[in-house]
Amino acid sequence: MQDFSFMTIEEIFLLQDALKKNKRQILKFISFGLLLVIFAAFVPHYFLSRRLSEEEINDSLFSYKNLWFWAWLGSFVLALIFALIKVTDVRYFTIKKDLTKLEKGQIQVPLESVYQGNNEMQTSFVVQQEGVKKRKRLFYWMRGRLDNFRAGQQVEIIYGRHSRVILAINKL
């Protein structure tokens, strides 16, 4: 059974903190992508300049003066950034949606599995919801590592409705 209600001020601050962490993570990925672009654009050009003439370098696919090089490199870096975001469970846009709607959910379910992610800075819980369709849902504890929860335990989870970021979790 799911109940939806409005968030308290403390829960709003918890979501804002999670949003800051996610924003920091995204900025890290973008700066990594930009560093990769700079590295990939100028290092091949440097090595080509040692062996080829300037005209041959400009005709090369590895030249930063070639439009196809930038198209390939840009799409590669964009795909890399999105892959990093997906792998690390960044929930930036859904947390922003939670902060505008201010709705929280509450559910009582048994834990199916628990695992640590994001360099053990986040704990994720998989639960199987009862209802019309049995489906598995993933909930995120963004405030570090939780060691005292195990699969099979019955818990009560209070979470942001759209992001499924856990605001409070209690054993029953």
Side-chain angles (χ1 to χ4, degrees), residues 82-113:
F82 281 114
L84 287 171
I85 288 171
K86 181 67 177 166
V87 167
T88 57
D89 288 328
V90 172
R91 313 216 42 87
Y92 181 80
F93 296 106
T94 55
I95 293 173
K96 281 190 82 143
K97 190 173 186 179
D98 274 341
L99 284 170
T100 57
K101 303 240 182 209
L102 297 177
E103 292 178 327
K104 66 179 177 182
Q106 183 174 345
I107 190 170
Q108 294 179 357
V109 290
L111 295 176
E112 191 164 296
S113 62

Side-chain angles (χ1 to χ4, degrees), residues 57-75:
I57 293 171
N58 291 340
D59 292 339
S60 170
L61 287 177
F62 293 110
S63 172
Y64 61 82
K65 294 180 181 178
N66 189 337
L67 180 64
W68 289 110
F69 172 77
W70 288 107
W72 171 84
L73 186 62
S75 61

Side-chain angles (χ1 to χ4, degrees), residues 9-144:
I9 301 296
E10 180 183 334
E11 291 167 338
I12 292 170
F13 283 125
L14 291 174
L15 272 181
Q16 286 176 340
D17 185 49
L19 185 69
K20 286 179 191 173
K21 288 179 183 175
N22 276 261
K23 191 175 186 178
R24 225 177 293 130
Q25 194 79 349
I26 289 173
L27 290 175
K28 231 188 290 184
F29 294 151
I30 290 172
S31 61
F32 177 71
L34 289 175
L35 185 67
L36 185 66
V37 166
I38 291 169
F39 182 78
F42 294 106
V43 169
H45 190 78
Y46 172 73
F47 284 111
L48 288 174
S49 67
R50 299 171 93 194
R51 297 188 180 163
L52 302 174
S53 69
E54 192 65 34
E55 191 174 302
E56 291 173 322
I57 293 171
N58 291 340
D59 292 339
S60 170
L61 287 177
F62 293 110
S63 172
Y64 61 82
K65 294 180 181 178
N66 189 337
L67 180 64
W68 289 110
F69 172 77
W70 288 107
W72 171 84
L73 186 62
S75 61
F76 172 75
V77 168
L78 196 62
L80 177 70
I81 289 170
F82 281 114
L84 287 171
I85 288 171
K86 181 67 177 166
V87 167
T88 57
D89 288 328
V90 172
R91 313 216 42 87
Y92 181 80
F93 296 106
T94 55
I95 293 173
K96 281 190 82 143
K97 190 173 186 179
D98 274 341
L99 284 170
T100 57
K101 303 240 182 209
L102 297 177
E103 292 178 327
K104 66 179 177 182
Q106 183 174 345
I107 190 170
Q108 294 179 357
V109 290
L111 295 176
E112 191 164 296
S113 62
V114 179
Y115 66 92
Q116 309 297 325
N118 256 353
N119 295 327
E120 297 186 356
M121 296 300 293
Q122 164 182 325
T123 304
S124 300
F125 298 95
V126 176
V127 301
Q128 183 152 1
Q129 282 185 283
E130 297 293 327
V132 178
K133 293 183 195 176
K134 284 188 173 183
R135 66 178 186 177
K136 294 181 182 181
R137 298 204 61 196
L138 187 60
F139 292 88
Y140 307 91
W141 177 261
M142 304 291 287
R143 290 172 272 164

